[in-house]
Amino acid sequence: MAEPQNHIRTVAIAAVSLAAVGLGLWMLSSPAVPSTVKVEAKEKKRSKKTATRKDADASTATTAEAAPVTSTPETETPAEPAVVTEKSAEVVAEKDSATLAKEYKTQGNRLFGEAKYAEAIEFYSKAIEINSNDAVFFANRAACYSNLQNHEATIKDCDSALAIDPRYLKAVYRRAQAYSALDKLDLALNDYTAICMLEEFKKESSISTTDRVLKDLGTAKATEVMKTKVARLPSETFVKAYMDSFRPKNFGASIVAEFPTELAGDALLHKTYEAILARDWATAMSTLEEALEKDMSENVRAFALNTMGTFSFLKGDIPLAMEFLDKSLAIEPDNMNTLIKRASIFMERQDLEAAIQEYQRAETISTTDPDLYYHRGQVRFLTGDIESAIKDYKKSLELDNEFVYAHIQLAVAMYKNEDQSGAEKTFIKALRKFSEVPEVYNYYGEVLLDQQRFDEALKNFDKAISMDGTSPLPYINKSILYLQYKGDPVQAEQFCKKAAEVDPTCDIAYIQLAQLLIHQNRLEDALIAYDAAIDVTRTEPELVNAISCREACAAQLYVSKKYPDVYAKLRGAVV
């Protein structure tokens, strides 16, 4: 976890992946996209309920294509000797029409095989004129339109096919492809999700295609939202966790206390840090902005620029954050705190190589800065290099053993590295050393919860709440515990709402609440909770995740209404 708080984010999002559509955590990969779509080459045999479909694209289907639903055709009863009447003549005419429609379809299939799509469309249309109740005719014509890139016509014919047979998966898949081509990704996601559920999540290619579309949809919507999203500070909990992740001797009021106060800007920086100590972030920011417009001592300005870069980073304005940090670094090129924060920005940009290089640059300046090893340990933990993270946390503690978060992170990393005994000992030492710090109890409780030591976990969460009732994280953890251990979704929901009450800008609280509502099959309420999370997210990656979760829930809602029996069956298997 990047900060202890982010571990909770991981827990919440992982749970959402189970509770949403069931497609996993939406870690996406792009499957091959078919260059052509083939049509049905053989005549179908139809029962009164479901048809056995043998589309021509079955032989060369892409890995992403859904398999057709099949059933056993009804056995025909031998015909009695014919008596020529007016009615029997009509039956003969109907049989002749059916034969003619079949012949038109056969001609269409031949032309399709020759890539003469326009000519094939004419024959499929003739077949439809004779028999407009055959879903295959529409689906095959849709395949022609698809190859001609006429996506609107493809969708229209797939609609017609599905009106006849709602579970004709090839028609659903073909329509989904057309929606994707038209950038109607929300509609495409509905269809792809339906395919996965109709297949009972047994086809990996369908799942990966759905994941890809979901990722694309989340990214596209997040990009649009970010254009008008007003930069603002995130959750009080997040701000505190980030500010506290630096030792006071490297960044904080203790340094500012040594600065001069003669110049107007210098004096205002002192007032800025008075507000920071009071956790009055809004006042701190406005005072700092005023300070930077005044005359300042050079070293004070470097520190003020660093602080403004920190606030800009917290608000999610990454380019502006880097601009302020670069200006600070121009004044003090060897400032370790500024270099470490630049590395954090590279990680926010998902540029791991640049982040590591920045830490290496910092290490050439000083090998005795404990914050360097703590924050590099965070990066290594996040990227799965747990053993290296443990080494960095230990190095940080060797240089300064009084930093509570390094103890917490070391314990969590040891647990992640399957050293449960070492993790337990480290937490116990931390509890003795920092018995007045609620975060230790909260994160120890998380580990106990993961070990299913529920009663002990609950005691630690309650202890954290009794020490600081303004943090949403113990409430969120209690919510998870009440759902998993006590099987009490109602009480779990109340804890989520309490978390949102104590910190209305905590997106994790709303995401966890949405997941609980999904667990109760209250999908429309879950969408409202996701919207609340989206409203308070800070950065584009967070927004992509929140929107993706929301759209997955929306697609699940669509399937629950379109195929209620399928949805109920799957839900019964999961819940």
Side-chain angles (χ1 to χ4, degrees), residues 31-48:
V33 177
S35 58
T36 61
V37 183
K38 293 196 173 183
V39 298
E40 182 167 338
K42 297 182 180 180
E43 176 64 7
K44 63 175 183 170
K45 295 181 180 179
R46 199 180 266 286
S47 70
K48 292 182 180 179

Side-chain angles (χ1 to χ4, degrees), residues 49 75 131 133 185 275 277 290 303 385 437 475 522 524:
K49 293 183 179 179
T75 303
N131 181 6
N133 293 318
L185 298 181
L277 285 174
E290 184 182 355
F303 196 88
D385 189 357
V437 179
Y475 293 109
R522 293 161 58 188
E524 292 177 345

Side-chain angles (χ1 to χ4, degrees), residues 40-44 46 92-111 119-138 140-141:
E40 182 167 338
K42 297 182 180 180
E43 176 64 7
K44 63 175 183 170
R46 199 180 266 286
V92 171
E94 287 178 6
K95 289 183 178 179
D96 290 341
S97 295
T99 300
L100 184 58
K102 178 181 176 181
E103 290 175 356
Y104 283 142
K105 186 191 102 173
T106 300
Q107 289 297 315
N109 290 350
R110 179 182 60 77
L111 291 165
E119 291 92 332
I121 286 172
E122 293 181 9
F123 280 95
Y124 291 136
S125 297
K126 290 179 179 180
I128 290 169
E129 288 176 7
I130 296 172
N131 181 6
S132 60
N133 293 318
D134 193 316
V136 174
F137 297 165
F138 288 103
N140 284 4
R141 190 171 69 176

Side-chain angles (χ1 to χ4, degrees), residues 158-378:
C158 288
D159 287 344
S160 297
L162 292 168
I164 299 167
D165 184 353
R167 302 192 183 191
Y168 188 179
L169 287 190
K170 289 188 184 293
V172 180
Y173 178 76
R174 203 163 281 143
R175 185 174 68 181
Q177 285 184 310
Y179 280 140
S180 293
L182 293 172
D183 283 331
K184 297 181 178 181
L185 298 181
D186 51 346
L187 297 176
L189 180 64
N190 286 343
D191 279 344
Y192 283 126
T193 303
I195 290 168
C196 289
M197 288 195 172
L198 286 165
E199 294 173 338
E200 299 183 1
F201 300 102
K202 293 178 180 178
K203 195 167 183 179
E204 289 299 324
S205 56
S206 299
I207 295 172
S208 64
T209 301
T210 309
D211 286 344
R212 172 179 57 80
V213 172
L214 179 65
K215 177 67 178 294
D216 290 346
L217 178 59
T219 301
K221 288 200 170 188
T223 300
E224 285 301 309
V225 171
M226 288 300 293
K227 290 178 181 178
T228 57
K229 197 172 185 66
V230 177
R232 62 185 179 187
L233 288 175
S235 159
E236 165 79 15
T237 305
F238 187 96
V239 175
K240 180 180 181 298
Y242 188 75
M243 291 293 194
D244 290 349
S245 71
F246 298 95
R247 288 164 170 85
K249 65 181 181 180
N250 293 333
F251 177 74
S254 60
I255 296 176
V256 176
E258 303 298 322
F259 287 159
T261 59
E262 288 78 9
L263 297 177
D266 298 349
L268 285 169
L269 184 64
H270 280 267
K271 291 185 177 180
T272 296
Y273 271 82
E274 289 175 5
I276 288 175
L277 285 174
R279 306 295 186 188
D280 186 354
W281 313 117
T283 299
M285 283 190 62
S286 62
T287 307
L288 181 58
E289 289 172 352
E290 184 182 355
L292 286 169
E293 295 175 356
K294 306 293 184 180
D295 291 336
M296 273 184 168
S297 304
E298 187 175 49
N299 63 325
V300 176
R301 182 169 294 277
F303 196 88
L305 288 166
N306 176 308
T307 306
M308 185 57 79
T310 303
F311 276 121
S312 298
F313 172 72
L314 289 169
K315 289 171 65 177
D317 193 338
I318 305 306
L320 186 61
M322 186 63 86
E323 180 182 332
F324 280 120
L325 292 176
D326 286 345
K327 288 179 179 179
S328 177
L329 206 61
I331 300 172
E332 294 184 350
D334 295 341
N335 187 285
M336 294 291 287
N337 186 267
T338 306
L339 291 170
I340 291 168
K341 288 175 179 175
R342 275 171 50 88
S344 296
I345 289 178
F346 286 127
M347 280 301 294
E348 189 73 25
R349 292 174 172 173
Q350 301 183 21
D351 189 347
L352 175 61
E353 183 177 352
I356 294 299
Q357 289 176 354
E358 199 73 1
Y359 286 124
Q360 290 173 344
R361 175 184 173 184
E363 197 169 19
T364 62
I365 296 170
S366 174
T367 58
T368 60
D369 188 312
D371 281 350
L372 164 64
Y373 298 102
Y374 172 73
H375 283 272
R376 191 173 69 182
Q378 300 288 67

Side-chain angles (χ1 to χ4, degrees), residues 251-543:
F251 177 74
S254 60
I255 296 176
V256 176
E258 303 298 322
F259 287 159
T261 59
E262 288 78 9
L263 297 177
D266 298 349
L268 285 169
L269 184 64
H270 280 267
K271 291 185 177 180
T272 296
Y273 271 82
E274 289 175 5
I276 288 175
L277 285 174
R279 306 295 186 188
D280 186 354
W281 313 117
T283 299
M285 283 190 62
S286 62
T287 307
L288 181 58
E289 289 172 352
E290 184 182 355
L292 286 169
E293 295 175 356
K294 306 293 184 180
D295 291 336
M296 273 184 168
S297 304
E298 187 175 49
N299 63 325
V300 176
R301 182 169 294 277
F303 196 88
L305 288 166
N306 176 308
T307 306
M308 185 57 79
T310 303
F311 276 121
S312 298
F313 172 72
L314 289 169
K315 289 171 65 177
D317 193 338
I318 305 306
L320 186 61
M322 186 63 86
E323 180 182 332
F324 280 120
L325 292 176
D326 286 345
K327 288 179 179 179
S328 177
L329 206 61
I331 300 172
E332 294 184 350
D334 295 341
N335 187 285
M336 294 291 287
N337 186 267
T338 306
L339 291 170
I340 291 168
K341 288 175 179 175
R342 275 171 50 88
S344 296
I345 289 178
F346 286 127
M347 280 301 294
E348 189 73 25
R349 292 174 172 173
Q350 301 183 21
D351 189 347
L352 175 61
E353 183 177 352
I356 294 299
Q357 289 176 354
E358 199 73 1
Y359 286 124
Q360 290 173 344
R361 175 184 173 184
E363 197 169 19
T364 62
I365 296 170
S366 174
T367 58
T368 60
D369 188 312
D371 281 350
L372 164 64
Y373 298 102
Y374 172 73
H375 283 272
R376 191 173 69 182
Q378 300 288 67
V379 170
R380 286 175 165 169
F381 184 93
L382 283 172
T383 55
D385 189 357
I386 307 300
E387 291 187 1
S388 295
I390 290 172
K391 291 178 181 178
D392 274 343
Y393 294 140
K394 287 182 176 180
K395 178 70 173 178
S396 179
L397 289 170
E398 287 173 8
L399 295 168
D400 178 10
N401 195 44
E402 300 303 315
F403 189 57
V404 61
Y405 287 117
H407 288 273
I408 293 173
Q409 293 293 133
L410 174 60
V412 171
M414 295 174 81
Y415 181 73
K416 180 76 171 179
N417 205 40
E418 300 183 357
D419 182 3
Q420 293 191 14
S421 175
E424 182 84 9
K425 291 177 182 178
T426 302
F427 264 123
I428 296 301
K429 289 180 181 179
L431 286 168
R432 291 171 180 164
K433 189 176 183 65
F434 305 99
S435 60
E436 300 304 314
V437 179
E439 285 83 357
V440 184
Y441 296 95
N442 181 61
Y443 297 112
Y444 182 42
E446 280 191 33
V447 169
L448 294 170
L449 176 59
D450 190 67
Q451 294 176 325
Q452 298 186 13
R453 294 160 63 181
F454 297 113
D455 291 331
E456 295 174 77
L458 184 58
K459 289 180 182 179
N460 277 271
F461 297 144
D462 285 338
K463 178 68 173 178
I465 290 170
S466 70
M467 297 173 72
D468 179 12
T470 65
S471 173
L473 304 184
Y475 293 109
I476 294 171
N477 280 329
K478 283 189 71 172
S479 170
I480 295 171
L481 186 150
Y482 267 76
L483 181 64
Q484 293 182 353
Y485 172 44
K486 295 182 178 292
D488 187 348
V490 175
Q491 187 61 52
E493 181 182 338
Q494 294 307 308
F495 284 124
C496 276
K497 290 181 176 178
K498 181 64 176 179
E501 177 186 328
V502 299
D503 190 347
T505 58
C506 181
D507 57 331
I508 307 167
Y510 298 113
I511 288 176
Q512 177 68 13
L513 175 60
Q515 137 191 357
L516 285 166
L517 293 168
I518 289 172
H519 180 82
Q520 299 173 63
N521 199 29
R522 293 161 58 188
L523 302 181
E524 292 177 345
D525 291 337
L527 291 176
I528 295 173
Y530 280 130
D531 286 337
I534 290 166
D535 185 57
V536 298
T537 49
R538 177 181 68 97
T539 66
E540 190 162 353
E542 292 171 348
L543 196 57

